[in-house]
Amino acid sequence: ANAGDVEWNTEIEEMAARRADEHTRHREIAPLGAVAAWRHGDKALALKRAQEYVAQNPRHILGRVIAAQLFDAAGNKADAKREAQACIALLPEQAAGAEVLQVADLLGNLDMYSEAAVLYERFIKAPRADELTFKWLQCLVSSDQRKKAQLAIEKLAPEDRSQKNIRHIEVNLAARM
């Protein structure tokens, strides 16, 4: 799908749809048809496929994430944010799996930092200089949750605080204080 090979993606979808035991896999593959169309350059078809998929599968988070990403790439922030809000509503409370990360990343990309921070925080037991903590701290700072960001930074081990990406967040935080 990422290569824009619409024909290949269609063949895979059809094969998965024919096999009864592949229903779950088909459900995960089907929204990628919109991605394939987008990468192939047919943006109108991509948006149409994404919208149709979401209409047929309104509770499928990955389908909504893809639709939101395509809306955003097409410059339609309002629809992208609407889909992102729908994703939040579909996530089980306190869930902390791949879908939660997909939605958190989507929210961050849509400048919905406060909402993204809540989701990233589900994965943070103790702040460290890792990718999730970094994204969480970025969202806290960007959503003006400065005190919470400062407290989290203070909990970092000295070797973590000396990491370049964490230092960058501290500089941004200091500039906003």
Side-chain angles (χ1 to χ4, degrees), residues 1-173:
N2 284 337
D5 193 337
V6 176
E7 291 176 23
W8 177 84
N9 194 78
T10 301
E11 288 177 32
I12 297 298
E13 279 185 57
E14 289 171 356
M15 187 171 36
R18 283 193 301 267
R19 296 177 63 181
D21 61 329
E22 295 288 332
H23 175 72
T24 301
R25 189 169 297 160
H26 177 257
R27 189 166 182 238
E28 297 303 317
I29 293 171
L32 297 178
V35 174
W38 185 272
R39 298 277 170 96
H40 184 69
D42 194 340
K43 296 178 182 355
L45 176 62
L47 292 169
K48 180 178 181 255
R49 281 188 175 181
Q51 289 171 314
E52 288 173 352
Y53 183 82
V54 168
Q56 293 169 357
N57 301 278
R59 300 196 54 77
H60 189 234
I61 294 172
L62 176 62
R64 286 190 177 275
V65 167
I66 289 172
Q69 291 169 334
L70 295 178
F71 284 134
D72 184 39
N76 189 339
K77 286 274 194 207
D79 283 340
K81 288 184 176 188
R82 187 192 74 235
E83 289 298 336
Q85 289 291 349
C87 289
I88 294 169
L90 291 171
L91 289 173
E93 280 196 40
Q94 302 311 314
E99 286 183 329
V100 177
L101 284 176
Q102 290 171 335
V103 175
D105 287 345
L106 171 66
L107 294 167
N109 291 336
L110 293 173
D111 302 334
M112 298 172 71
Y113 300 116
S114 183
E115 296 90 339
V118 170
L119 297 182
Y120 285 129
E121 190 171 9
R122 293 182 185 186
F123 296 91
I124 310 296
K125 300 279 188 254
R128 301 185 338 225
D130 60 19
E131 182 180 358
L132 289 177
T133 300
F134 179 70
K135 288 180 178 184
W136 177 53
L137 290 170
Q138 280 183 311
C139 289
L140 289 175
V141 172
S142 295
S143 63
D144 289 327
Q145 297 181 59
R146 295 182 294 264
K147 184 68 173 169
K148 190 171 188 175
Q150 183 62 45
L151 291 172
I153 289 170
E154 289 171 1
K155 290 180 184 177
L156 290 168
E159 59 272 12
D160 287 339
R161 280 187 86 165
S162 68
Q163 296 291 320
K164 183 179 178 181
N165 59 352
I166 300 299
R167 298 288 305 145
H168 180 71
I169 288 176
E170 282 193 278
V171 169
N172 285 342
L173 181 60

